[in-house]
Amino acid sequence: RSGDVDKCAKALNKIAQELLAANYQEKIPIFKQFHKNIIGKGGVNIKKIREETNTKIDLPDSDADSDTITITGKKENVLVAAEKIREIQSQMANIVSKEMRIPAKIHNTVIGAGGKL
């Protein structure tokens, strides 16, 4: 009987260790304007990162004040996912966009024939 209790205790201990290992969490602040780039069109970027790293990645709701992304999983996987997300932010931070008003009468000239620039 005591052998069974020891086996059970060891098994439960192992499960507890695995749960702890799989629930490492890192919260990373990412500028809100880049969240859409991290998600990607139709969620393609975030799905790829989740699949490649086997992590759970939670972004705040678009109307929330928070800019913190939470990544949960095994520590080594979480660190890889965090790096991939930071990489997207730094790539996007290097892109400069400029808005300009173009009079409607020259839209066709700017767009070009058949909508090709």
Side-chain angles (χ1 to χ4, degrees):
R1 285 257 176 230
S2 73
D4 288 347
V5 172
D6 287 343
K7 280 183 190 171
C8 189
K10 281 183 181 169
L12 286 173
N13 225 348
K14 187 177 181 203
I15 291 169
Q17 292 300 320
E18 287 170 1
L19 277 172
L20 275 174
N23 282 294
Y24 177 82
Q25 200 171 72
E26 187 165 330
K27 294 179 183 291
I28 56 173
I30 298 291
F31 292 115
K32 197 109 177 142
Q33 71 258 35
F34 300 131
H35 286 202
K36 67 179 185 289
N37 305 103
I38 288 159
I39 294 167
K41 192 173 186 133
V44 70
N45 292 345
I46 197 83
K47 282 179 192 161
K48 186 176 182 214
I49 296 171
R50 284 175 176 148
E51 286 168 11
E52 287 177 357
T53 62
N54 194 26
T55 54
K56 181 175 184 271
I57 302 170
D58 295 310
L59 287 92
D61 291 333
S62 54
D63 59 352
D65 285 338
S66 173
D67 63 355
T68 304
I69 295 176
T70 305
I71 309 166
T72 309
K74 290 190 173 175
K75 184 174 183 176
E76 59 272 19
N77 296 343
V78 168
L79 296 176
V80 170
E83 186 51 41
K84 287 177 182 281
I85 289 171
R86 285 189 189 103
E87 207 172 281
I88 292 171
Q89 176 177 249
S90 59
Q91 286 171 0
M92 298 319 299
N94 289 331
I95 295 174
V96 176
S97 66
K98 176 83 174 135
E99 284 189 30
M100 52 197 305
R101 292 190 183 274
I102 297 173
K105 64 183 180 192
I106 63 166
H107 282 189
N108 288 343
T109 311
V110 174
I111 295 169
K116 295 185 172 91
L117 284 173

